């Protein structure tokens, strides 16, 4: 017994020692050995993450994304220095944020450059192309965004589910084609989601967040987490006699729902920022896209008995998140949140692709079937064509 206890103690100590040595090394570098990192110039940086226009006031949300603490000492609009209130205070430690309130009689539709200067004299600027009133979460606006989310998310997915009777009548080879076509649709959707996440991070996030690595990390974690959930669902499906295709359709609906949340964020943010044309473009484009998402949910279930309630529930799982996305994008939009949710959607979609491909392989024994390859190619082409029609 003593031997086992001694062995466990040695194992625990061997696990802790590397951490202790690492802590000592870091402590030395930032303590007695600080001269090792004292060479060169430390460059401060702040990021203006959000600009809101309210009655006779411009409100900027700012974050210290540099390596050292800074003090905000001055604010300006179009190089005109103005008084400003900083909440909670002007001193920002690394990654700390503050709200800068600048009294200013702005004009709707006009461009403005919001500038903030820190204690060392460095000025940082955020360009707003079109000033638009900040949207408040009133009943009217909540309802408005809900209608948009329904139009973009729920209705197109439900329309796509109407392909169920058509798919259920197909021969085996044609069914394989349409199942693979689902993979093509999702593959394009996943790539598009990753591209949008990386583009959003490049345009709105500081380099300190390492946008591409952030997207990759979140997408992979999302993939692994949903893969775990998918395995659990498959086990429960087997135990409860629930058909495997239904479990797969559920995972597809969850993955699409996470993606549609990101789409809702984009639409809500575009409307809030006054980009009406972009908002209209996104609404029409996403609505067209999401019809094919309904098809993707229906395809795996086409060999099961038609259960309208279950099919509708899956459509709601896929479509309703678009409503929540428009609310978040419209009322509390954050570029970091948008990037994270787009990356989560990316990981979810690729996990669903792997799930469907495994199922096809289990059914057919191989993936190099001509129907499968043709279906994937056609699915991607359909998504590409619908992406450029509007």
């Amino acid at each position: 017994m003593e031997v086992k206890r001694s062995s466990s103690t040695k194992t625990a100590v061997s696990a802790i020692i590397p951490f202790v040595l690492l802590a000592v090394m870091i402590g030395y570098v930032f303590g007695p050995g600080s001269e090792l990192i004292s060479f060169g110039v430390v460059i401060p940086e702040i990021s203006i993450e959000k600009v809101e226009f309210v009655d006779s006031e411009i409100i900027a949300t700012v974050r210290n994304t540099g390596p050292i603490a800074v003090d905000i000492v001055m604010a300006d609009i179009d190089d005109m220095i103005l008084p400003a209130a900083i909440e909670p205070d002007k001193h920002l430690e690394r990654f700390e944020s503050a709200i800068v309130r600048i009294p200013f009689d702005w004009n709707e539709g006009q461009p403005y450059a919001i500038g903030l200067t820190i204690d060392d004299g460095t000025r940082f600027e955020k360009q707003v192309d079109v000033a638009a009133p900040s949207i408040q979460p009133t009943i009217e606006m909540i309802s408005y965004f809900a209608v948009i989310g329904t139009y973009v998310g729920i209705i197109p997915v439900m329309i796509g589910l109407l392909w169920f009777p058509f798919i259920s009548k197909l021969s085996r080879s044609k069914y394989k084609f349409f199942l693979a076509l689902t993979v093509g649709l999702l593959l394009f959707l996943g790539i598009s989601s990753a591209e949008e996440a990386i583009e959003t991070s490049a345009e709105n996030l500081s380099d300190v967040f390492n946008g591409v690595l952030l997207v990759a990390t979140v997408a992979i974690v999302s993939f692994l987490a949903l893969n775990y959930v998918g395995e659990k669902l498959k086990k429960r499906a087997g135990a409860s006699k629930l058909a495997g295709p239904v479990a797969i359709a559920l995972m597809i609906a969850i993955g699409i729902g996470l993606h549609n949340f990101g789409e809702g964020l984009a639409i809500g943010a575009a409307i809030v920022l006054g980009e009406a044309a972009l908002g209209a473009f996104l609404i029409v484009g996403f609505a067209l896209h999401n019809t094919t998402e309904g098809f993707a949910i229906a395809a795996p279930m086409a060999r099961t008995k038609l259960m309208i309630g279950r099919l509708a529930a899956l459509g709601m799982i896929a479509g309703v998140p678009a409503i929540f996305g428009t609310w978040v994008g419209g009322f509390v939009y954050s570029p970091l949140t948008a990037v994270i949710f787009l990356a989560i959607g990316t990981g979810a979609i690729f996990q669903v692709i792997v799930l469907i491909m495994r199922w096809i392989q289990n059914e057919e024994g191989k993936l190099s079937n001509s129907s499968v390859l043709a279906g994937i190619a056609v699915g991607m082409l359909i998504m590409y064509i619908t992406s450029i029609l509007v």
Side-chain angles (χ1 to χ4, degrees):
M1 189 71 175
E2 290 295 329
V3 174
K4 286 186 177 179
R5 186 176 297 172
S6 176
S7 176
S8 299
T9 302
K10 288 180 179 179
T11 301
V13 170
S14 66
I16 294 172
I17 285 176
F19 290 105
V20 173
L21 293 176
L22 183 61
V24 170
M25 184 188 73
I26 293 174
Y28 176 79
V29 169
F30 285 97
S34 59
E35 67 275 3
L36 295 174
I37 57 174
S38 62
F39 294 100
V41 178
V42 180
I43 301 175
E45 180 184 4
I46 62 172
S47 298
I48 303 174
E49 296 183 340
K50 186 178 180 181
V51 176
E52 299 174 273
F53 295 86
V54 297
D55 294 336
S56 301
E57 190 177 48
I58 296 178
I59 302 174
T61 302
V62 60
R63 186 180 303 277
N64 178 10
T65 51
I68 58 174
V70 299
D71 288 333
I72 301 174
V73 297
M74 191 168 60
D76 68 83
I77 305 294
D78 292 339
D79 293 324
M80 181 172 60
I81 299 173
L82 297 166
I86 304 173
E87 303 170 357
D89 58 66
K90 67 179 183 179
H91 183 76
L92 296 179
E93 294 292 338
R94 192 178 190 199
F95 293 126
E96 188 178 358
S97 64
I99 302 296
V100 181
R101 297 180 176 274
I102 309 171
F104 187 76
D105 290 322
W106 53 274
N107 297 314
E108 186 173 348
Q110 191 170 322
Y112 291 101
I114 293 83
L116 296 175
T117 303
I118 59 175
D119 46 352
D120 72 346
T122 307
R123 180 180 178 274
F124 299 88
E125 181 180 285
K126 177 80 169 182
Q127 181 71 41
V128 177
D129 294 331
V130 179
S134 177
I135 295 177
Q136 302 302 315
T138 62
I139 296 297
E140 181 182 0
M141 290 309 302
I142 290 173
S143 302
Y144 170 71
F145 279 121
V147 170
I148 291 177
T150 301
Y151 184 84
V152 169
I154 297 175
I155 294 176
V157 172
M158 292 299 184
I159 291 173
L161 291 175
L162 296 177
W163 271 305
F164 183 95
F166 164 73
I167 305 171
S168 63
K169 303 294 183 183
L170 296 173
S171 64
R172 184 176 178 81
S173 61
K174 291 179 180 177
Y175 175 67
K176 285 190 300 182
F177 170 83
F178 281 100
L179 194 61
L181 185 141
T182 295
V183 174
L185 300 176
L186 293 173
L187 185 57
F188 187 96
L189 206 60
I191 295 171
S192 174
S193 184
E195 180 189 30
E196 188 175 350
I198 292 171
E199 184 178 327
T200 301
S201 68
E203 293 178 355
N204 299 284
L205 292 185
S206 167
D207 291 341
V208 73
F209 288 105
N210 293 321
V212 175
L213 293 180
L214 173 64
V215 172
T217 301
V218 173
I220 291 172
V221 171
S222 170
F223 177 94
L224 296 174
L226 287 167
N227 191 66
Y228 175 80
V229 172
E231 292 299 321
K232 290 292 184 182
L233 281 174
K234 284 167 65 178
K235 287 181 181 179
R236 289 188 61 184
S240 63
K241 307 293 185 184
L242 182 66
V246 177
I248 290 175
L250 175 58
M251 291 305 297
I252 291 174
I254 292 172
I256 288 174
L258 290 170
H259 172 76
N260 284 344
F261 184 90
E263 290 184 345
L265 279 174
I267 293 172
I271 293 172
V272 166
L273 296 174
E275 299 176 10
L278 175 59
F281 171 84
L282 292 175
I283 291 169
V284 175
F286 287 155
L288 190 58
H289 258 350
N290 291 356
T291 303
T292 59
E293 292 173 1
F295 178 93
I297 296 170
M301 293 182 61
R303 287 297 185 263
T304 65
K305 182 181 177 181
L306 174 60
M307 298 181 67
I308 295 176
R310 181 177 292 168
L311 208 59
L314 292 173
M316 295 297 285
I317 290 171
V320 167
I323 296 177
F324 292 99
T326 58
W327 285 338
V328 174
F331 301 131
V332 289
Y333 178 76
S334 161
L336 182 60
T337 302
V339 170
I340 289 174
F341 273 101
L342 285 168
I344 289 174
T346 300
I349 289 169
F350 279 105
Q351 190 277 329
V352 171
I353 291 171
V354 171
L355 194 65
I356 298 174
M357 294 300 284
R358 283 179 187 165
W359 187 43
I360 293 175
Q361 188 172 30
N362 290 337
E363 292 287 317
E364 302 299 323
K366 59 180 181 177
L367 295 174
S368 57
N369 184 286
S370 59
S371 296
V372 174
L373 298 178
I376 294 173
V378 171
M380 292 200 70
L381 285 172
I382 289 173
M383 290 298 280
Y384 176 74
I385 292 171
T386 57
S387 71
I388 63 175
L389 284 180
V390 290

